[in-house]
Amino acid sequence: MECGEGERPDVSVMKTPEYIPRRSASTEKDAHCYIKMLYVLLAAVFLTTLTFSLPLNQDYHGEAETPLRFNSDGTFQISIFEDLHFGENAWEQWGPQQDVKTAAVMNAVLDAESPQLVVLNGDLITGENTFLENSTTYIDQIVAPLVQRDLPWASTYGNHDSDFNISRRNILGRERLYPNARTSQMVFGEDSGVSNYYLPVYPSDGGSEPCLLLWFFDSRGGFLYQQTDERSQRIDQPNWVDHSVVDWFQKTRDSLNAQFNRTIPSLAFVHIPTNASRALQLGVGVDPYTEPGIDEDTPLAGQAQGWCADGTSDSDCEYGGQDLPFMKALASTPGLLAVFSAHDHGATWCFKWNETLPGMHFSGNGLNLCFGQHSGYGGYGSWSRGSRQVFLTEALLAENEIDTWIRLESGDVVSSVTLNATYGLDRYSPTPDTHT
């Protein structure tokens, strides 16, 4: 069963005391059961409220975070898990089974790889399937393989991480209960989203100036938390990186370069891809030999899909163009080597954006636009589950080169490429289209 199939309860209605079986006056046993259930409900509400009320501008780790740093051999590896979709169809046997299988994917990949950082690139939870009292507790299951290995992680949030019973702010509050969580919030506008921040990575020699920046952006999407319109329908949340975040990114980027008097190489992570990837796919197309990867989501679903140019949500509007400021900011950022997206489960390729793409009036600057691999057993599609690996060395970083590959749950490695000056011209073996 895939996401969207099967009968679902109305999760937009809260579990409140009126939904608890009424006390029966006929037996003392019924009264005892009612009181017990009420205590369970109150305990769940208390724990949920405690977690949700944590202020997010403070660090609850109890100590300063250990800085990210290249290994003594000058290497730094990132494992990207995306579209995990925990909590899907939780009310039937099928759903929890998928969560167990997804955790097995994470364990298999981490047993085979040795990352210094794990990135959870959006859609951690299938939010439309969650109830208020348990929506963020799925974070505990998601990060368990990372906590077991004492690995730091950083998240972006996806469109399924916002719905009537779940919010990004509450997910962040849950993540921040763990010392190894590096997920943060640096932009606090009402419409900015949550997972907008950067992480510095320091050199292996113990230097105090960063040699790499990791940017994380919130592409939003989904539905607003605990809000309905005049027809009691959930309210759509815009699905692009907000202009306030673009402003913050450009100012912070320029400030850091000025502070250290140099251009610092960087990578970026965002759940929903920009229109540039879709324009490439529908224009020039993806070459399986020079841009190896699965290319079965055609056309791609990108930022501003389903929105009109005037900012109204309408499924009849194919693309509203609201992600243009974000694309321009990315394309004009010196030292930004690659942007890693998720969201489209049937896309796993990388593309070097140099030219002016169809329907766009500005060119890329050699930025690599990459997709990862669908990691979770929730969500649509049966493509083999896995995780994109990003491998950097201090020596190759100076040459603007990145090695990347996809490690599948089976242990196989596919789509192994080097993102360098000749990527897009170099030829590779096509990626086999395998399914689980």
Side-chain angles (χ1 to χ4, degrees):
M1 179 183 294
E2 299 299 335
C3 177
E5 297 181 5
E7 185 176 353
R8 297 175 175 173
D10 183 2
V11 297
S12 65
V13 179
M14 303 302 300
K15 285 185 177 178
T16 53
E18 58 262 36
Y19 290 101
I20 299 175
R22 297 298 179 186
R23 177 176 179 176
S24 170
S26 60
T27 66
E28 188 174 323
K29 181 178 179 181
D30 287 341
H32 175 74
C33 289
Y34 174 80
I35 294 171
K36 183 178 180 181
M37 291 178 70
L38 184 59
Y39 275 127
V40 170
L41 176 64
L42 290 173
V45 170
F46 172 76
L47 290 174
T48 300
T49 304
L50 177 63
T51 300
F52 290 0
S53 63
L54 291 174
L56 300 180
N57 58 350
Q58 298 182 31
D59 184 12
Y60 287 86
H61 296 184
E63 58 184 23
E65 294 177 348
T66 303
L68 299 174
R69 190 175 294 279
F70 276 75
N71 288 332
S72 57
D73 63 356
T75 64
F76 189 83
Q77 183 174 342
I78 303 170
S79 292
I80 305 173
F81 294 99
E82 62 187 51
D83 297 288
L84 293 166
H85 284 281
F86 270 74
E88 193 159 291
N89 287 45
W91 50 85
E92 60 187 11
Q93 185 178 12
W94 178 87
Q97 288 176 344
Q98 308 318 300
D99 294 346
V100 171
K101 291 160 73 174
T102 299
V105 173
M106 299 179 72
N107 281 307
V109 169
L110 295 174
D111 285 345
E113 302 288 353
S114 300
Q116 282 67 62
L117 177 70
V118 170
V119 170
L120 306 176
N121 205 8
D123 282 1
L124 283 64
I125 300 169
T126 299
E128 63 269 31
N129 286 183
T130 62
F131 297 94
L132 182 69
E133 67 271 20
N134 74 343
S135 59
T136 60
T137 57
Y138 286 107
I139 291 298
D140 303 338
Q141 297 179 50
I142 293 170
V143 304
L146 313 180
V147 172
Q148 180 184 0
R149 293 168 174 82
D150 196 26
L151 285 172
W153 73 85
S155 302
T156 70
Y157 298 143
N159 49 301
H160 286 279
D161 294 318
S162 286
D163 213 289
F164 187 79
N165 284 338
I166 190 171
S167 79
R168 289 153 142 68
R169 180 178 172 83
N170 297 341
I171 293 175
L172 178 57
R174 193 75 182 194
E175 282 197 66
R176 295 295 294 181
L177 296 177
Y178 291 92
N180 283 12
R182 296 292 183 269
T183 312
S184 184
Q185 181 178 7
M186 293 183 177
V187 187
F188 293 90
E190 182 179 352
D191 299 318
S192 299
V194 171
S195 56
N196 300 293
Y197 60 104
Y198 74 90
L199 295 173
V201 183
Y202 295 92
S204 59
D205 62 6
S208 59
E209 293 189 4
C211 58
L212 176 69
L213 297 175
L214 305 176
W215 297 96
F216 299 84
F217 298 102
D218 192 337
S219 50
R220 302 181 295 165
F223 296 89
L224 296 179
Y225 177 61
Q226 294 287 282
Q227 296 185 43
T228 56
D229 61 18
E230 64 279 358
R231 298 172 299 161
S232 298
Q233 299 297 307
R234 296 175 299 175
I235 300 174
D236 289 319
Q237 179 171 228
N239 60 354
W240 58 85
V241 174
D242 188 64
H243 67 87
S244 61
V245 177
V246 176
D247 292 343
W248 163 81
F249 167 55
Q250 292 175 313
K251 291 176 182 176
T252 306
R253 172 200 68 192
D254 295 345
S255 175
L256 288 168
N257 288 337
Q259 177 183 348
F260 297 105
N261 196 30
R262 61 189 174 88
T263 297
I264 305 173
S266 59
L267 305 176
F269 304 86
V270 63
H271 180 69
I272 304 178
T274 65
N275 186 59
S277 296
R278 188 173 184 270
L280 156 82
Q281 184 192 52
L282 297 181
V284 242
V286 178
D287 188 321
Y289 292 94
T290 58
E291 294 139 357
I294 298 169
D295 183 33
E296 293 193 2
D297 264 337
T298 308
L300 292 169
Q303 295 184 30
Q305 182 194 41
W307 290 77
C308 305
D310 64 1
T312 57
S313 174
D314 190 335
S315 58
D316 291 334
C317 291
E318 186 175 356
Y319 170 63
Q322 287 86 353
D323 65 336
L324 281 168
F326 182 52
M327 282 192 289
K328 289 180 179 178
L330 294 175
S332 64
T333 297
L336 180 59
L337 305 181
V339 178
F340 297 93
S341 298
H343 188 61
D344 294 284
H345 300 180
T348 66
W349 40 268
C350 291
F351 163 71
K352 185 176 288 296
W353 181 18
N354 274 318
E355 65 270 24
T356 301
L357 297 170
M360 300 178 64
H361 61 275
F362 61 95
S363 298
N365 63 346
L367 177 63
N368 296 291
L369 304 177
C370 290
F371 290 94
Q373 186 85 10
H374 181 196
S375 304
Y377 272 84
Y380 73 92
S382 61
W383 297 283
S384 297
R385 274 63 174 188
S387 164
R388 179 171 287 282
Q389 309 301 306
V390 181
F391 186 80
L392 303 133
T393 71
E394 289 173 313
L396 290 180
L397 192 59
E399 303 297 326
N400 296 330
E401 293 189 11
I402 304 169
D403 288 327
T404 181
W405 63 90
I406 291 172
R407 173 75 67 172
L408 298 178
E409 177 186 16
S410 63
D412 294 336
V413 171
V414 299
S415 302
S416 181
V417 302
T418 298
L419 303 177
N420 56 13
T422 57
Y423 182 74
L425 301 174
D426 303 329
R427 294 180 69 81
Y428 297 93
S429 299
T431 300
D433 185 7
T434 58
H435 291 254
T436 301

